[in-house]
Amino acid sequence: MIEKNIPVAIRMDPLFPRSIEGCPEYQSLKEDLQPLVSWAAQTGVSYVISSPLKLVYRRNTVSWFNRSIIEGFSEVRRNYRRMAQDLQKKLFSDAQDLCRHHGLSLEHCFDNILKRNEGFVT
């Protein structure tokens, strides 16, 4: 695809919370995301798609994980527990800066879905 000049995106999902007291950091910007974005830029990927982690608001088979991370998910909207807006913006901004540093743009998955479906009529 890349060789034929067809734009290729990678999905870097989800962005895990950081810097929350009592919440383990399962993902490091430097150790986890930076090598992936660097590789993507070197291989010719056009852009990155991502979004912050959200937890399904119901009983879950990974309850140990939910218990370890629940402190970071203060908002409940629809069927999901979500991180506070300021934390989501910070995570996305950090990832955007990282992508920009490597010459890539970062799109939120929701924005990407809307863009892909422009003009789609059901």
Side-chain angles (χ1 to χ4, degrees), residues 12-113:
M12 186 171 70
D13 258 1
L15 297 176
F16 283 76
R18 293 189 306 275
S19 304
I20 298 173
E21 188 176 332
C23 179
E25 296 200 3
Y26 289 101
Q27 182 183 74
S28 163
L29 190 67
K30 184 178 178 183
E31 294 175 15
D32 298 317
L33 302 183
Q34 195 281 331
L36 177 62
V37 171
S38 176
W39 170 84
Q42 291 171 25
T43 58
V45 166
S46 304
Y47 62 101
V48 180
I49 302 167
S50 190
S51 68
L53 176 68
K54 58 185 176 280
L55 301 176
V56 177
Y57 192 67
R58 61 178 162 77
R59 210 188 300 229
N60 200 310
T61 57
V62 287
S63 58
W64 61 268
F65 175 73
N66 286 345
R67 278 194 306 276
S68 73
I69 204 168
I70 200 75
E71 293 300 317
F73 292 80
S74 57
E75 296 181 15
V76 176
R77 285 184 290 162
R78 295 194 181 119
N79 294 325
Y80 294 97
R81 254 187 198 282
R82 298 173 188 265
M83 290 179 249
Q85 285 292 326
D86 59 337
L87 180 56
Q88 288 186 53
K89 286 179 183 176
K90 171 75 172 124
L91 291 174
F92 202 77
S93 176
D94 289 348
Q96 239 173 355
D97 290 345
L98 175 64
C99 288
R100 240 183 252 122
H101 176 76
H102 290 280
L104 296 171
S105 63
L106 176 70
E107 295 183 11
H108 192 282
C109 69
F110 186 72
D111 294 337
N112 183 264
I113 289 169

